[in-house]
Amino acid sequence: MKSAKKILALILAGVMALALLTGCGKAASLNRTMAEGIAEHYKSLCVRAGNKNNISVSYQVPELSRDIAPLFDENWITQNDGHDVLNRNHTVNGKTVEATLTDILSPYISAGSAVTFLAADITDVKTPFVEISDLLGSQIAFRVASVSVTSVTGIRVAVVRKNVNGRTYALTVRIVEQ
């Protein structure tokens, strides 16, 4: 009887430990969920356009959280016809926002790729689906080149949230390769 209680106690302790660990990393998993949604959206666009490639997906763009997010603030955004847009006149460390993004993302900029940076104010948004929609429709954007969706072979996507003066922004970088 004592050994059965010990075994039951060990099993219960294991279940409790697993239940405790499932709550870890919620912030990172929400960013990953958004990145997966953006990647799936873009992959579906490619397939609908006739892309027959096996499109690989990666969720690793370390420059977003390491280099871009620390520099991002409300000065990156300005108004144009009532819409938030990228403030192309703002300087970061003596360079325009576009030049700064080009420098940071230069390892991904090549003849066979398209690089996109998007930001969206998601302060009052309650669901990842709407956050993704806001990001995809954002005019706070920087794009380098474009590729044909029918020739895409790989997509890299990363999403990071940043709080700035009481507002929450979702930042993403999408790299499309052919």
Side-chain angles (χ1 to χ4, degrees):
M1 190 68 170
K2 283 186 176 183
S3 64
K5 285 184 179 180
K6 285 182 181 179
I7 291 173
L8 184 59
L10 283 172
I11 292 172
L12 184 59
V15 169
M16 289 173 58
L18 285 175
L20 183 66
L21 292 174
T22 59
C24 294
K26 287 290 185 192
S29 66
L30 188 53
N31 289 341
R32 173 66 180 253
T33 298
M34 288 182 61
E36 289 171 356
I38 291 168
E40 285 305 312
H41 169 78
Y42 198 78
K43 277 178 69 173
S44 71
L45 289 175
C46 294
V47 170
R48 281 184 286 180
N51 187 320
K52 304 282 189 220
N53 296 324
N54 182 17
I55 301 172
S56 66
V57 179
S58 169
Y59 303 102
Q60 300 296 319
V61 185
E63 292 83 356
L64 179 60
S65 58
R66 184 186 64 218
D67 301 323
I68 297 171
L71 297 174
F72 180 85
D73 63 28
E74 69 275 2
N75 294 316
W76 285 42
I77 302 167
T78 190
Q79 287 281 311
N80 185 8
D81 293 329
H83 298 285
D84 286 343
V85 296
L86 188 67
N87 184 354
R88 300 186 187 293
N89 297 321
H90 178 61
T91 59
V92 178
N93 298 330
K95 296 180 182 176
T96 65
V97 168
E98 289 180 333
T100 300
L101 288 169
T102 300
D103 287 349
I104 292 170
L105 297 171
S106 64
Y108 306 104
I109 298 171
S110 68
S113 69
V115 178
T116 304
F117 166 81
L118 296 168
D121 185 343
I122 58 166
T123 304
D124 299 322
V125 177
K126 304 294 183 215
T127 65
F129 176 78
V130 176
E131 290 179 13
I132 292 167
S133 178
D134 286 355
L135 264 173
L136 292 173
S138 178
Q139 294 182 29
I140 307 168
F142 169 73
R143 291 177 178 84
V144 177
S146 63
V147 297
S148 169
V149 291
T150 58
S151 62
V152 171
T153 59
I155 302 170
R156 291 177 185 248
V157 181
V159 176
V160 170
R161 285 177 173 64
K162 177 148 186 202
N163 293 318
V164 179
N165 295 331
R167 309 292 301 166
T168 303
Y169 295 90
L171 313 175
T172 188
V173 170
R174 182 186 68 209
I175 298 136
V176 180
E177 300 158 336
Q178 57 182 4

